[in-house]
Amino acid sequence: MPAPHHSAPPSPAARKAADALWDAQRTGVPCPPVRDLLPDGDIATAYAVQRINVERTLAKGHRLVGRKIGLTSSAVQRQLGVDQPDFGALTAQMAVPDGGTVPKGRLLQPKIEAEVALVLGESLPHAHCTVADVLRAVDFALPALEIVDSRITDWDISLVDTVADNASSGMFVLGGAPVPLTSVDLRSVRMSLTRDGEEVSTGTGADCLGGPLNAAVWLASSLAAMGDPLRAGDVVLTGALGPMAAAPPGSRFDAAITGVGSVRVGFAPLLPERKEEEQ
């Protein structure tokens, strides 16, 4: 994640906040909110914090594969007490195969949400991106599950906290059947998410900033304005179509999005399953 053009070096406060979040991830022990370490409501500094830790992650050999848009659903905004979207970085090591299992201890406080992923065939370099630009650039759509996580104790977050914490990113799951945008109206799709067979979240494409393409336009414009545009091959998680659901150990989730497909994931149980005693 290159630094935006003309950006100043991170402040001592940004580095202190980044260190707290990095240590929480490393130790598995959530940290207090970082908003008190940063200027009040300073989103630019919060993104500087995010950038420090993304660059640390890439320096460890991880590969950037795209971006996630967060806080696109009004239901999720109400859950977290925020009022605008944000974005974070996705690396290949965050991907879980469709139908796979999240290992025990990989995440601190996971929650899950269902959304539409877009995979780009062309870059989006314009700071004033349009829906037409996105439609031309997208190669195909996929159903997706985003497993959000917070390095901050009890999800006690403001917008500054979640931005600094890579938009509360954790892991993600992509379905395996690509869908061209010519065959689906993303605004009208309907989503159902079940946990162990019980429906825990519903929504529509319109619940994501009025439509997933609107969310993609916002992200593409924001990143291009920062000098770090979306590139061909990037995965874009466009944002939740409904409320987040808790993801306790041992649970399994299935999401279905009309016209887009289905995707599933499980979470390893807290304790290893007992093996039957040998006779």
Side-chain angles (χ1 to χ4, degrees):
M1 183 181 182
H5 295 331
H6 311 302
S7 62
S11 66
R15 292 195 177 279
K16 185 174 182 179
D19 288 346
L21 293 166
W22 186 260
D23 287 345
Q25 180 66 43
R26 180 181 56 82
T27 63
V29 179
C31 65
V34 298
R35 55 183 175 267
D36 294 336
L37 301 175
L38 305 174
D40 187 34
D42 189 342
I43 304 304
T45 299
Y47 276 114
V49 174
Q50 179 187 132
R51 212 157 38 243
I52 291 169
N53 284 340
V54 171
E55 289 171 355
R56 284 171 166 168
T57 299
L58 299 182
K60 291 171 65 69
H62 291 219
R63 179 171 62 91
L64 188 68
V65 296
R67 305 300 172 99
K68 62 151 287 185
I69 312 170
L71 308 175
T72 56
S73 162
S74 58
V76 172
Q77 289 183 2
R78 287 193 298 272
Q79 282 181 304
L80 297 179
V82 300
D83 60 0
Q84 59 181 285
D86 66 351
F87 65 82
L90 302 174
T91 67
Q93 288 82 349
M94 295 164 65
V96 183
D98 187 10
T101 300
V102 177
K104 181 181 64 175
R106 177 69 185 270
L107 301 172
L108 281 70
Q109 307 173 96
K111 300 178 185 288
I112 195 165
E113 53 194 38
E115 51 198 81
V116 173
L118 304 177
V119 180
L120 300 184
E122 300 177 12
S123 300
L124 286 166
H126 304 298
H128 298 287
C129 185
T130 69
V131 169
D133 293 328
V134 170
L135 286 169
R136 281 194 297 267
V138 171
D139 200 0
F140 53 85
L142 292 169
L145 291 167
E146 186 187 356
I147 305 163
V148 292
D149 196 20
S150 182
R151 270 55 63 177
I152 294 170
T153 303
D154 296 330
W155 280 88
D156 178 12
I157 60 174
S158 67
L159 182 61
V160 166
D161 292 299
T162 187
V163 167
D165 193 19
N166 197 28
S168 302
S169 296
M171 304 181 81
F172 65 96
V173 190
L174 300 177
V179 175
L181 294 189
T182 53
S183 69
V184 62
D185 176 4
L186 294 181
R187 189 177 185 279
S188 65
V189 301
R190 303 192 69 83
M191 177 277 294
S192 173
L193 176 66
T194 63
R195 179 178 58 218
D196 300 326
E198 179 183 355
E199 191 170 67
V200 291
S201 181
T202 62
T204 71
D207 293 326
C208 175
L209 285 187
L213 292 178
N214 293 344
V217 167
W218 174 84
L219 177 67
S221 298
S222 299
L223 286 171
M226 295 174 71
D228 188 22
L230 289 168
R231 295 168 174 83
D234 278 352
V235 174
V236 176
L237 299 183
T238 56
L241 303 181
M244 300 182 298
S251 57
R252 294 202 65 83
F253 290 84
D254 291 81
I257 302 174
T258 57
V260 182
S262 61
V263 59
R264 60 207 55 80
V265 75
F267 290 80
L270 188 60
L271 296 174
E273 295 181 359
R274 285 186 173 179
K275 296 182 179 179
E276 294 183 2
E277 294 182 2
E278 295 183 2
Q279 301 296 327

